[in-house]
Amino acid sequence: MSDVFDIAVIGGGVVGLAILRRFAKAGLRCVLLERGADILSGASKGNSALLHTGFDAPLGSLELACMQAGYAEYLAIRQRLNLPLVESSGLVVAWSDEELAALPNIVAKAHQNGIADVRQIEAGELAAREPHLAAALSAVLVPGEAIIDPWSAPLAYAHQALAHGAVILRGAEVTGGTLANGAWRLAHGKGEVRARVVINAAGNFGDLVERIVRDPPFAIKPRRGQFVVFDKPAAKLVNAIILPVPSEYTKGVVLFRTIFGNLAIGPTAEDVDEREVASCDGETLARLKARAIAMVPELQHVGINAIYAGLRPATQHKDYVIEALPERNWITIAGIRSTGLTASLGIAQHVARLYADHFARLPATPEPVWTPVPNLAELRPRPYQTGGDIVCHCELVTRAEIEAALTGPLPATDMGGLKRRTRAVMGRCQGFYCSAEVTAIMAEAARGTP
Amino acid sequence: MERHDVAIVGGGPAGLAAALRLVELGIKDVVVLEREAEAGGIPRHCGHMGFGWQSHRRLWTGPRFAAQLRADTSSLDVRTGTTVLELGPEGHLRIRDSQGARHMIANRVLIATGTRETPRAARLVGGTRPQGVMTTGALQQHVYLNHRRPFDRPVIVGSEWVSFSVLVTCLHLGVRPVAMIEENAATTAPRAGRLVARLAFGVPVLTATRLIAIDGRGQVEAVEVEHGGQRRRIACDGVVFTGQFRPENALYMTGPFASDDLAPRIDSAFRCTDPAFFAAGNVLRPLKSSGTCWRQGLAAAAAIAGSML
């Protein structure tokens, strides 16, 4: 590839894809390099799928600014990309006197952060809103907290970037690079690319990639989060996102409905050395399940559908690390933890400003091409309701949806990618009924691919 | 709106037996709603022998038995590719098929949605999530419906009868399991099974052994097990979770009658607490053979016919 791109983004997670979208939409020639077999196969694979207001983020932080900008842009574009949203609101629930005493400060902090509609509610209103919740003393109501689709959103960003001419290379791990004559030459698993400006959005590998340009001023210390997902009848038991009163050490585990109609609890926060594979452990999963049942006792009668773990790319710094190195044609983005899904569009705005300030003016934005993604959320019309053959009976996924996910400009390349694009095999039977057929459809699609 | 005398949800041995008997008893307007592309139920992918004795006094493989059931019911209204999404009061059903979603009403509804195994997630087994982890049902479909071989050296978790049927499936595939793991001190199936496993298949049965975690990146590489407080790794390339059958409950949990995740509540005549609804077969515990499900389907049909007089 002898062409020189304007921008090379390293990392195909939600942050990298949001950045790719913004620059491609602005008319720049962009390439994205992802080490995994598919996009969204690293830190973005396992998150809690929430759109946060930032009510509890540190005042004046870059994180808060990016979350608020990202939240606003998500609302502005979601309908044109066919992205769902459940306005569930959030409740920070106090079960003890100690937690109760902390609530006024949570409200005050939210107001400082500009979230004016946050207010404390009494036990009676809480019980009316959440009749299945174990009796509690009081709560802080955060109306703006919402539930979104954690994979369709970044997939939509990727598709829009592709529609604007971006190139996405998967299985392309960046192994080194040199800057000469105003352009980077990046070596990756499948060859090399040249680009004027490199954007490091490598998530859990951010510090390793940063070594290409400098001695990194941050170290990635992956933080593992484990989750337990209850079967769909559980979603009727909870309305809002149930947040714990944060302690000094952690925001704690959250009980939340998913956009797919399940109820999940997580994440834990465990510092680990592993960057690549997030593993679960049975004791922690059992504790999470018990914690959910303590919050909503009727959950003891509902089955478990899935367990998963994610790795959040934490650093030693509390805030995001986002900076431009003008003399090195490089922009660093690191330490984007659990707020990354919310903040990604805001991070992309911030990075675009850094680019304009330090590298080149952004061209006048052409009319954007909108690339709506298939809807997977149960609250909106889904293909099974109008016909076709159902392959995955638990999640009601049709053959046409699976075949569509295996074709197009960014087809799923493995079972994980197919699951994230369609929900197939993600339900209560975990493939008892459909995994063989899904595997056969994948094999057929692979044979059809030159 | 489409109306029927009886709608049967599930075209396995129980549901098909009930349909045949209802017609014999003079109830003509019976519809069987089956979500898979063909009726026959779980026997469709049980490749071993032992099916058909109670219903046909023959000994067949599962697929042969399922084919016989389809032949027996070929003149009935069996609708495949038809999913029942939701149950409502007075025999109301929301269904969908290749034409889309719509409503149906039946004077009586028989729930015969069968059973499935408890997969890894619901057992809260830790570790990573590589390829090669499945239930017996998924393995059998890989093998008998799609002729695939998903691993060469799996570990089998559980020691119920179905666990030994996995051994048969593995033999059919030319696959040699590394071990069977049973958490309890003794195998769940009778002792003979353990002897058969060891002597006929050369597979050690590790009792009082708990599966702690699964390890592997692309494919399974090993499992971690605990026995007597000691943990160790067993190298393998697959894990089959067998047994711990639980009802396929998603549909009946929507119904206007008493139930929990383990069963709809019924009286001695298979009737739910809403008089329009009945249940039979493996959706009711305990796990039964296909022959016993067949007979239960016949009995439920008699009860339904009696209730319509």
Side-chain angles (χ1 to χ4, degrees):
Chain A
M1 201 173 288
S2 62
D3 290 356
V4 181
F5 289 95
D6 294 315
I7 305 259
V9 179
I10 304 177
V14 62
V15 173
L17 291 165
I19 291 168
L20 186 75
R21 165 184 177 272
R22 175 148 290 269
F23 283 111
K25 227 157 57 67
L28 298 189
R29 298 197 59 247
C30 303
V31 61
L32 181 141
L33 302 152
E34 164 56 44
R35 69 191 292 279
D38 195 5
I39 59 167
L40 306 175
S41 54
S44 300
K45 181 167 66 175
N47 61 57
S48 30
L50 302 176
L51 192 67
H52 296 294
T53 54
F55 76 96
D56 56 352
L59 182 65
S61 62
L62 183 57
E63 179 176 17
L64 175 60
C66 290
M67 286 172 78
Q68 292 185 324
Y71 186 104
E73 186 174 349
Y74 185 86
L75 292 189
I77 67 173
R78 71 173 189 88
Q79 267 146 356
R80 281 171 289 186
L81 293 175
N82 197 30
L83 296 173
L85 178 98
V86 174
E87 293 172 354
S88 62
S89 75
L91 285 167
V92 185
V93 179
W95 274 283
S96 71
D97 289 332
E98 195 184 339
E99 290 168 341
L100 180 65
L103 296 189
N105 281 338
I106 294 172
V107 175
K109 181 163 180 29
H111 291 172
Q112 276 180 351
N113 283 0
I115 327 283
D117 58 358
V118 172
R119 64 182 172 93
Q120 188 169 345
I121 61 172
E122 296 310 313
E125 185 180 347
L126 176 60
R129 285 174 172 272
E130 300 293 343
H132 302 281
L133 198 65
L137 302 175
S138 177
V140 172
L141 174 67
V142 189
E145 297 281 299
I147 299 161
I148 60 174
D149 180 337
W151 302 306
S152 294
L155 187 66
Y157 308 158
H159 278 285
Q160 197 172 17
L162 291 171
H164 280 272
V167 175
I168 294 177
L169 300 176
R170 296 177 285 182
E173 180 171 8
V174 173
T175 52
T178 51
L179 174 65
N181 303 325
W184 279 95
R185 190 181 284 274
L186 294 176
H188 63 82
K190 290 179 169 173
E192 66 170 38
V193 298
R194 291 198 293 151
R196 290 189 184 86
V197 175
V198 172
I199 298 175
N200 173 10
N204 283 312
F205 299 86
D207 51 351
L208 303 183
V209 167
E210 193 75 2
R211 283 182 196 157
I212 294 171
V213 68
R214 58 172 170 169
D215 187 19
F218 58 89
I220 298 290
K221 184 71 185 167
R223 193 169 295 157
R224 179 171 66 181
Q226 302 188 47
F227 296 83
V228 171
V229 183
F230 287 86
D231 198 1
K232 296 187 191 296
K236 296 189 193 79
L237 301 176
V238 178
N239 295 310
I241 300 158
I242 307 297
L243 302 134
V245 174
S247 73
E248 200 171 321
Y249 307 102
T250 169
K251 281 171 75 170
V253 299
V254 180
L255 186 68
F256 57 99
R257 284 188 286 150
T258 73
I259 201 89
F260 315 111
N262 297 91
L263 185 76
I265 184 166
T268 53
E270 309 154 58
D271 289 331
V272 293
D273 291 323
E274 174 63 52
R275 291 173 189 264
E276 195 145 8
V277 181
S279 62
C280 294
D281 74 87
E283 286 87 5
T284 304
L285 297 171
R287 270 203 304 278
L288 281 173
K289 179 182 173 186
R291 175 89 190 111
I293 291 170
M295 286 195 260
V296 180
E298 285 170 63
L299 282 175
Q300 63 190 297
H301 303 297
V302 183
I304 302 291
N305 271 18
I307 54 174
Y308 68 96
L311 294 172
R312 322 200 270 285
T315 68
Q316 70 271 42
H317 306 293
K318 209 165 160 53
D319 203 354
Y320 292 175
V321 178
I322 303 181
E323 52 186 291
L325 308 177
E327 68 291 351
R328 300 290 289 153
N329 289 18
W330 186 280
I331 297 174
T332 302
I333 301 156
I336 314 298
R337 301 174 303 270
S338 49
T339 52
L341 178 64
T342 299
S344 59
L345 295 168
I347 292 170
Q349 292 176 20
H350 182 70
V351 169
R353 279 192 298 272
L354 288 178
Y355 181 87
D357 288 349
H358 296 288
F359 300 107
R361 281 173 53 123
L362 289 174
T365 305
E367 192 58 31
V369 180
W370 294 100
T371 50
V373 286
N375 172 53
L376 303 178
E378 193 52 48
L379 71 158
R380 302 171 70 190
R382 287 187 52 202
Y384 77 84
Q385 294 156 346
T386 49
D389 299 334
I390 291 178
V391 172
C392 170
H393 295 291
C394 299
E395 296 293 314
L396 299 167
V397 184
T398 62
R399 178 180 300 274
E401 287 175 282
I402 293 172
E403 287 172 350
L406 293 167
T407 53
L410 197 61
T413 51
D414 56 15
M415 185 64 97
L418 185 66
K419 287 158 87 171
R420 290 190 286 275
R421 283 170 179 77
T422 65
R423 300 286 302 158
V425 196
M426 299 274 254
R428 62 187 70 82
C429 89
Q430 294 280 300
F432 178 94
Y433 293 110
C434 76
S435 63
E437 181 154 19
V438 171
T439 307
I441 297 171
M442 286 185 78
E444 203 170 303
R447 272 198 302 277
T449 309
Chain B
M1 193 182 318
E2 188 175 340
R3 288 178 173 273
H4 296 282
D5 285 338
V6 181
I8 297 171
V9 188
L16 294 178
L20 282 168
R21 178 57 52 91
L22 282 164
V23 173
E24 285 168 17
L25 292 171
I27 295 171
K28 299 293 179 219
D29 181 14
V30 177
V31 59
V32 179
L33 307 170
E34 167 57 50
R35 67 186 189 178
E36 296 289 348
E38 63 176 11
I42 296 283
R44 289 179 307 124
H45 49 77
C46 295
H48 52 84
M49 294 293 290
F51 293 85
W53 186 252
Q54 297 191 64
S55 52
H56 296 81
R57 285 292 178 265
R58 299 285 294 272
L59 269 182
W60 288 314
T61 63
R64 174 69 188 82
F65 175 57
Q68 186 64 47
L69 296 184
R70 286 194 294 275
D72 294 346
T73 53
S74 59
S75 62
L76 306 187
D77 187 1
V78 179
R79 300 190 193 170
T80 56
T82 303
T83 303
V84 182
L85 299 168
E86 203 176 347
L87 305 174
E90 297 169 351
H92 203 104
L93 303 100
R94 189 163 71 89
I95 70 169
R96 61 72 65 199
D97 57 21
S98 59
Q99 304 305 306
R102 61 185 181 279
H103 293 269
M104 180 185 278
I105 286 188
N107 290 336
R108 299 289 182 271
V109 177
L110 176 64
I111 300 162
T113 51
T115 187
R116 62 176 171 81
E117 294 164 293
T118 302
R120 179 250 183 109
R123 300 180 194 221
L124 301 180
V125 172
T128 61
R129 296 196 298 164
Q131 295 296 308
V133 180
M134 60 190 70
T135 50
T136 311
L139 171 66
Q140 288 177 340
Q141 295 186 52
H142 275 293
V143 174
Y144 294 115
L145 300 185
N146 291 322
H147 312 289
R148 287 177 55 85
R149 176 164 148 163
F151 39 55
D152 294 311
R153 306 170 288 123
V155 160
I156 299 170
V157 182
S159 64
E160 303 177 31
W161 277 116
V162 63
S163 321
F164 294 95
S165 103
V166 171
L167 284 180
V168 177
T169 304
C170 287
L171 188 72
H172 171 88
L173 273 180
V175 158
R176 170 63 63 91
V178 180
M180 290 182 84
I181 296 171
E182 169 55 51
E183 202 167 328
N184 297 313
T187 53
T188 312
R191 289 174 60 85
R194 182 170 181 165
L195 277 173
V196 168
R198 202 170 56 223
L199 298 179
F201 298 96
V203 176
V205 181
L206 310 177
T207 51
T209 302
R210 196 161 66 94
L211 177 61
I212 301 294
I214 296 171
D215 189 27
R217 304 215 159 186
Q219 183 81 16
V220 176
E221 292 162 23
V223 292
E224 186 182 352
V225 299
E226 185 181 77
H227 174 77
Q230 301 279 330
R231 291 193 178 189
R232 71 181 173 105
R233 277 169 72 88
I234 300 174
C236 58
D237 69 351
V239 182
V240 187
F241 286 95
T242 68
Q244 293 191 16
F245 281 90
R246 47 184 299 132
E248 180 61 357
N249 59 17
L251 178 65
Y252 76 65
M253 299 269 285
T254 69
F257 43 76
S259 69
D260 63 27
D261 59 327
L262 295 179
R265 193 193 304 164
I266 56 160
D267 65 15
S268 57
F270 304 100
R271 200 167 202 172
C272 300
T273 56
D274 179 314
F277 292 91
F278 292 72
N282 269 333
V283 74
L284 303 175
R285 297 205 302 172
L287 182 72
K288 298 169 284 289
S289 71
S290 60
T292 306
C293 287
W294 169 271
R295 289 205 310 218
Q296 201 170 78
L298 298 179
I304 291 169
S307 79
M308 294 173 75
L309 289 175

